[in-house]
Amino acid sequence: MNHQEVEVLAIGAGPSNLALAVALEELSPELASRTLLLEQHEDVSWQRGMLLPWAQSQVSFLKDLVTLRNPRSRFSFVNYLHSAGRLNEFVNLGSFTPYRSEISEYLLWVAQSLSRVRIEYSRRCVRIEPVLTSGGEVEEWRAELGDGSTVTARTLVVGAGRDPHIPEVFGALPRERIIHSTEYTRGISRFDHGAPHRVAVIGGAQSAAEMLWATHQGMPEAQCTMVMRSIGLNGYESSRFTNELFYSSFIDEFYGAKPEARRQLLSEMHRSNYAGLSPGLLDTLYRQIYLERLNGAERLRMITMAEITAAGLDGDEIVLTLTDRKSGNRTELPCDILLLGTGFDRRMPWLVRDLAARAGLEEITVDRVYRLGLPPGSGAACYLQGVNEDTHGIADSLLSVLATRAEEIVGDIQDRLAATELLAPFALPVAS
């Protein structure tokens, strides 16, 4: 198709927009039939670059796409396990946290189970153009896709996630030698796993540690070095008291807090999500280092409190300049492959920044129901999912609030359209 017109256009078929699709099918079937999800990949997958066979989620299976909103839903993780014939085995496993591959399979199952919302794959959105009135109000959105086709909609939902963070110090290095965690499984497959590579892993949190362990195990001749700014690896902060800050009911409290209180909450919650490791992986790495020292064949080592102040090529090898944060001394670390567990850009995704600039917005703001602030009188709306930690709390980028956030967004879309008498007969939720 060269051009399509829909009511709701959702960019990215990840957990956020799949939760939205489920909420639409259960709460507003007519609107669901006028909704399109665009996914740039050929299928649905969760954390595609880090789908390691042994990696587990750190979130309860009950925090799926729907259960905390509608425990009776046919789209629940439990129903997925039942459909796959694996419910008894999962119960017998005695774990609240599924393997990452199971969650990925669950998301694919949900996508294939939708009956009204359409998903189109291999459809990469390269630009979103606001259609403006003479007064500067946004009437609708026009998405331009990589194949030259376009889609217009009055309601846009962006759920494509944040952009990977590649520190500037690595900017001059050849891109084929650098692998960010978002592309680890595909990127590492380009290299000979039997060769004696020197691998440097940058970062000190879960993703960096998973890449370190996967590379150490998958490349038995490789020398693997982890470089971090911190004093050493730490476990997740996971007390039950702290975990209450991930409740969807906490969002109102966070949203209404003073800016300095928000900053404190985000800072103190950092270790609960970004700066820690799972207990099992921590123990595994420590034991491996201990055993290698015991046997005198060290392939795994860690460099702590080090700042990477320069990076360049010397012939065919990458050379990192490390500055010790304790002494100020500089050393060089040569390597062949650079793995980045450096997280994500804290700014809004480039797609959102670009559409905001095209709409003439001086700043990007969202209200309590995740709606982007547009010029007064605009008939269009745009909702942002998974990128609102600064205003909605640290759980915004996690699975914890997917179900309830989707319900809030659907409710706001219904109210907005009902107010213009475009969806009046369907303004009330339909029983699932």
Side-chain angles (χ1 to χ4, degrees), residues 107-425:
L107 297 179
L108 178 59
W109 174 82
V110 169
Q112 295 172 339
S113 301
L114 296 170
S115 59
R116 292 176 177 267
V117 174
R118 288 187 297 122
I119 303 179
E120 294 184 2
Y121 298 100
S122 301
R123 303 274 274 164
R124 185 172 65 90
C125 181
V126 297
R127 183 183 299 108
I128 297 175
E129 191 78 40
V131 179
L132 305 176
T133 67
S134 58
E137 299 91 355
V138 182
E139 281 190 327
E140 62 181 5
W141 306 98
R142 182 173 65 249
E144 300 177 11
L145 309 185
D147 60 4
S149 61
T150 57
V151 182
T152 56
R154 279 178 301 178
T155 303
L156 176 69
V157 185
V158 181
R162 292 189 184 273
D163 303 322
H165 173 54
I166 310 293
E168 291 183 9
V169 70
F170 304 126
L173 298 179
R175 193 65 183 87
E176 65 271 13
R177 303 280 290 280
I178 301 174
I179 305 173
H180 189 271
S181 61
T182 54
E183 55 187 20
Y184 172 74
T185 53
R186 179 175 59 86
I188 202 68
S189 67
R190 298 195 304 261
F191 297 91
D192 179 2
H193 280 44
H197 297 297
R198 296 164 298 174
V199 181
V201 182
I202 312 303
Q206 183 74 17
S207 293
E210 288 184 1
M211 289 192 293
L212 178 72
W213 183 242
T215 305
H216 181 275
Q217 295 297 289
M219 293 183 168
E221 300 301 320
Q223 296 291 323
C224 302
T225 303
M226 190 178 206
V227 182
M228 67 193 82
R229 299 178 71 250
S230 62
I231 62 173
L233 300 179
N234 289 296
Y236 282 125
E237 167 56 59
S238 58
S239 82
R240 287 176 171 81
F241 295 100
T242 300
N243 283 343
E244 289 193 357
L245 301 186
F246 292 97
Y247 290 178
S248 57
S249 57
F250 183 70
I251 296 174
D252 283 330
E253 192 173 341
F254 187 92
Y255 188 84
K258 295 179 179 180
E260 58 269 24
R262 288 182 184 174
R263 287 192 292 270
Q264 178 184 349
L265 284 163
L266 289 174
S267 176
E268 293 190 19
M269 289 292 289
H270 189 76
R271 270 186 57 190
S272 67
N273 187 40
Y274 296 124
L277 273 68
S278 63
L281 186 54
L282 266 178
D283 186 64
T284 295
L285 290 174
Y286 191 84
R287 287 180 178 277
Q288 184 64 36
I289 292 174
Y290 180 87
L291 285 172
E292 290 186 2
R293 289 172 179 169
L294 178 65
N295 298 329
E298 296 184 45
R299 288 201 303 118
L300 183 62
R301 67 174 179 141
M302 296 185 184
I303 300 175
T304 62
M305 293 199 72
E307 199 83 47
I308 301 174
T309 50
L313 283 180
D314 183 3
D316 193 42
E317 70 179 9
I318 297 172
V319 179
L320 305 179
T321 301
L322 309 183
T323 301
D324 189 297
R325 301 180 72 200
K326 303 185 296 295
S327 64
N329 294 334
R330 293 187 178 185
T331 57
E332 290 188 342
L333 176 66
C335 60
D336 305 305
I337 304 171
L338 197 59
L339 306 180
L340 301 185
T342 50
F344 297 87
D345 194 328
R346 293 291 302 160
R347 298 174 297 172
M348 285 288 177
W350 71 267
L351 188 67
V352 175
R353 299 198 307 271
D354 184 67
L355 72 86
R358 293 172 185 275
L361 303 181
E362 294 184 1
E363 62 176 336
I364 297 174
T365 61
V366 290
D367 64 13
R368 172 59 186 81
V369 290
Y370 310 94
R371 195 188 331 162
L372 178 68
L374 296 176
S378 294
C382 175
Y383 299 87
L384 305 181
Q385 298 214 70
V387 292
N388 304 302
E389 284 189 4
D390 290 345
T391 53
H392 290 68
I394 200 166
D396 191 69
S397 62
L398 308 178
L399 301 180
S400 301
V401 299
L402 291 180
T404 52
R405 182 174 65 202
E407 181 178 33
E408 291 175 343
I409 292 175
V410 170
D412 193 66
I413 296 173
Q414 289 177 308
D415 291 344
R416 184 175 56 83
L417 296 182
T420 58
E421 298 182 351
L422 292 175
L423 199 61

